[in-house]
Amino acid sequence: MNRILRLGGFPDHESVLYLERMIDTSAIRDRFIALSPHLDERGRRSFAAAEARSAGYGGIAAVARATGIAPSTIGRGLEELAGALEVPADRNRRPGGGRKALTTTNPALLKDLLGLVSPSERGDPMSPLRWTCKGLRRLAGELRAMGHQISHTVVGELLKSQKFSLQANCKTREGDSHTDRDAQFAYINASVNRAMAAQQPVISVDTKKKELVGDFKNAGREWRPQGEPEEVRVHDFLIKELGRAVPYGIYDLAANSGWVSVGIDHDTAEFAVQTIRTWWRTNGVKRYSKARTLTITADGGGSNGSRVRLWKRELQSLANELGINIQVHHLPPGTSKWNKIEHRLFSFISMNWRAKPLVSYRVIVDLISATTTETGLTVQCELDTKTYPKGIVVTEEEMSSINITRDEFHGEWNYTIRPSNRTDRSVNS
């Protein structure tokens, strides 16, 4: 039995049964099962060949039955071990080995696949996948319907080779932009720079997204023990007893600091101006004791919108109380994401409370107050329990009493409200 193994010489069936009793195939099978997950194609072939050579005559058949590897494959492995067949170190097979690529045998395949997934097909009502999700299995099914023999795994490989990847929607389109959009940004920038150079306060204001209060899912992930995610409600339905949190924020550009009032009622202009009033009494008056003008940059819509009468009326009341001018610049339509407060304050608040259920107003206030950055951002936050009714009507008489001066360049976006006891009044609502 201890003969030199002859390549390609396979014993008959009766000899195999006899040899298997002599060769411990169960041990070979156990070793193959243990090592197979860690071996590539070449490694498995080499393992089988080494076992066959060690077993002697009949080893190829015994190893083939124990591992399921084809006898011809084991034979090639033996040739590689003997040096009769050279395979480059960076390859599993010799050059030219294996089945030819589908795109070689079927040149139309790649063209048909790209036709299905091409972005230009989205607007074509006749496109096969115009109204469906372009998953790998659906793409493979469409290709098979065209006469191609292909699996979904190969579809994935072809897409990757063509630099395709799974991608979500990207919010980049802002819609129609105003013709003076860039000019308004330049105008705001010049005004802000002048104010800061004169050591006058400049703030960016806006309302952050309203948040449901309760044990609801909050976007993002945080480190927790494996298998112990924080449990939250399945459905995001308002809990009437808790309500919604309305965070209105102020970002002080010079101080790199934020102030947020968390309201429990409606997001109105009265609430917005009250937040500015609270910030000024708490921080602004101490920081800018010699202030003559407060410059505010704000979105063009919402509670602090350029067309909101209540916003102007409340600013007039604030100017009267503080005894200083209030200069306002509104961002042009469709550009709210460029407001300083969005990426210098609100984005960091969202990062700080990611994956944390906002179970109470106290938790919301504490999470906002704990927001900091390596560049020195600090945030103060307090709960505003007052009610701010909607639907307040500002009369023409009230509007005419507002001491407002509009700039020559887009006066609807750029204006100054002065205390009412000033003589330089411009009655222009």
Side-chain angles (χ1 to χ4, degrees):
M1 297 298 297
N2 191 21
R3 301 176 184 177
I4 298 176
L5 183 64
R6 295 173 298 174
L7 300 178
F10 305 112
D12 57 28
H13 180 67
E14 291 184 0
S15 299
V16 168
L17 296 178
Y18 174 76
L19 289 169
E20 280 197 338
R21 289 195 293 269
M22 303 299 295
I23 300 172
D24 189 358
T25 55
S26 62
I28 295 174
R29 184 179 298 107
D30 292 342
R31 288 194 291 270
F32 180 73
I33 292 173
L35 291 174
S36 182
H38 308 289
L39 301 174
D40 57 12
E41 178 185 337
R42 183 175 186 175
R44 287 190 291 273
R45 187 169 65 238
S46 299
F47 168 83
E51 291 285 348
R53 186 168 66 178
S54 175
Y57 182 73
I60 290 180
V63 172
R65 292 173 68 89
T67 63
I69 297 176
S72 58
T73 300
I74 300 175
R76 288 197 300 274
L78 287 165
E79 291 181 355
E80 292 173 14
L81 292 180
L85 184 64
E86 293 186 3
V87 178
D90 60 342
R91 294 178 59 93
N92 283 324
R93 303 175 185 177
R94 67 183 185 277
R99 183 189 307 171
K100 292 185 181 297
L102 284 177
T103 51
T104 301
T105 59
N106 185 0
L109 173 62
L110 186 59
K111 178 181 178 181
D112 289 344
L113 174 60
L114 294 178
L116 291 176
V117 299
S118 173
S120 62
E121 294 295 324
R122 291 180 305 178
D124 182 6
M126 301 306 294
S127 173
L129 299 184
R130 176 64 180 87
W131 307 112
T132 59
C133 175
K134 298 180 183 179
L136 297 181
R137 284 179 171 80
R138 188 175 293 276
L139 288 169
E142 293 290 340
L143 289 170
R144 285 194 292 270
M146 295 179 183
H148 302 291
Q149 295 301 315
I150 190 171
S151 68
H152 69 278
T153 55
V154 177
V155 170
E157 293 172 1
L158 289 176
L159 289 176
K160 289 180 180 178
S161 70
Q162 296 298 310
K163 307 302 182 184
F164 278 76
S165 63
L166 290 173
Q167 299 181 39
N169 301 144
C170 181
K171 292 184 178 181
T172 55
R173 299 179 181 176
E174 298 177 351
D176 295 336
S177 61
H178 197 281
T179 54
D180 288 335
R181 187 183 76 163
D182 292 344
Q184 174 65 1
F185 275 117
Y187 191 82
I188 294 174
N189 186 60
S191 177
V192 167
N193 287 338
R194 285 195 301 270
M196 295 181 68
Q199 298 183 341
Q200 298 297 300
V202 179
I203 59 175
S204 171
V205 302
D206 197 10
T207 305
K208 197 179 187 303
K209 182 177 74 72
K210 299 180 181 68
E211 302 287 349
L212 289 174
V213 182
D215 52 342
F216 300 104
K217 178 180 175 61
N218 201 358
R221 297 183 294 176
E222 68 172 350
W223 291 101
R224 291 181 61 87
Q226 187 173 2
E228 298 182 19
E230 188 160 0
E231 297 181 355
V232 295
R233 292 174 182 255
V234 174
H235 301 292
D236 294 344
F237 295 136
L238 174 69
I239 302 175
K240 291 184 178 180
E241 306 81 59
L242 298 178
R244 290 185 176 87
V246 185
Y248 190 90
I250 295 170
Y251 177 71
D252 185 338
L253 275 66
N256 189 25
S257 65
W259 174 277
V260 179
S261 287
V262 177
I264 64 173
D265 198 37
H266 301 110
D267 177 23
T268 68
E270 188 180 5
F271 171 55
V273 175
Q274 178 59 35
T275 302
I276 299 174
R277 179 182 288 108
T278 304
W279 165 80
W280 179 263
R281 291 174 177 172
T282 306
N283 294 328
V285 70
K286 300 175 185 176
R287 221 172 262 154
Y288 307 101
S289 58
K290 298 181 180 180
R292 301 182 304 277
T293 301
L294 170 62
T295 300
I296 300 175
T297 63
D299 290 349
S303 58
N304 47 224
S306 60
R307 298 183 179 181
V308 179
R309 289 187 167 196
L310 184 61
W311 164 253
K312 297 182 179 67
R313 191 194 76 176
E314 293 301 310
L315 286 180
Q316 181 66 74
S317 298
L318 181 61
N320 293 344
E321 293 176 27
L322 305 185
I324 62 175
N325 300 332
I326 297 179
Q327 185 179 46
V328 182
H329 297 293
H330 291 281
L331 274 67
T335 62
S336 60
K337 68 179 181 179
W338 300 109
N339 201 346
K340 295 288 185 183
I341 194 172
E342 293 288 347
H343 49 88
R344 291 193 181 180
L345 177 60
F346 287 165
S347 61
F348 295 111
I349 292 174
S350 297
M351 290 169 61
N352 190 55
W353 71 19
R354 67 180 183 272
K356 294 181 176 67
L358 308 177
V359 297
S360 68
Y361 288 105
R362 182 73 265 162
V363 168
I364 293 173
V365 170
D366 288 346
L367 286 171
I368 293 175
S369 300
T371 302
T372 58
T373 66
E374 293 182 357
T375 57
L377 173 69
T378 58
V379 185
Q380 292 176 269
C381 181
E382 72 170 18
L383 185 66
D384 186 341
T385 58
K386 297 178 183 177
T387 58
Y388 296 95
K390 297 193 298 183
I392 296 178
V393 177
V394 179
T395 65
E396 291 294 336
E397 183 180 356
E398 289 177 304
M399 288 301 299
S400 64
S401 67
I402 297 176
N403 188 10
I404 183 172
T405 302
R406 297 186 180 277
D407 295 6
E408 292 183 4
F409 180 78
H410 281 287
E412 74 278 16
W413 295 342
N414 308 291
Y415 51 85
T416 301
I417 296 178
R418 295 176 170 82
S420 295
N421 56 0
R422 296 284 182 87
T423 58
D424 51 350
R425 172 177 296 188
S426 173
V427 181
N428 183 2
S429 61

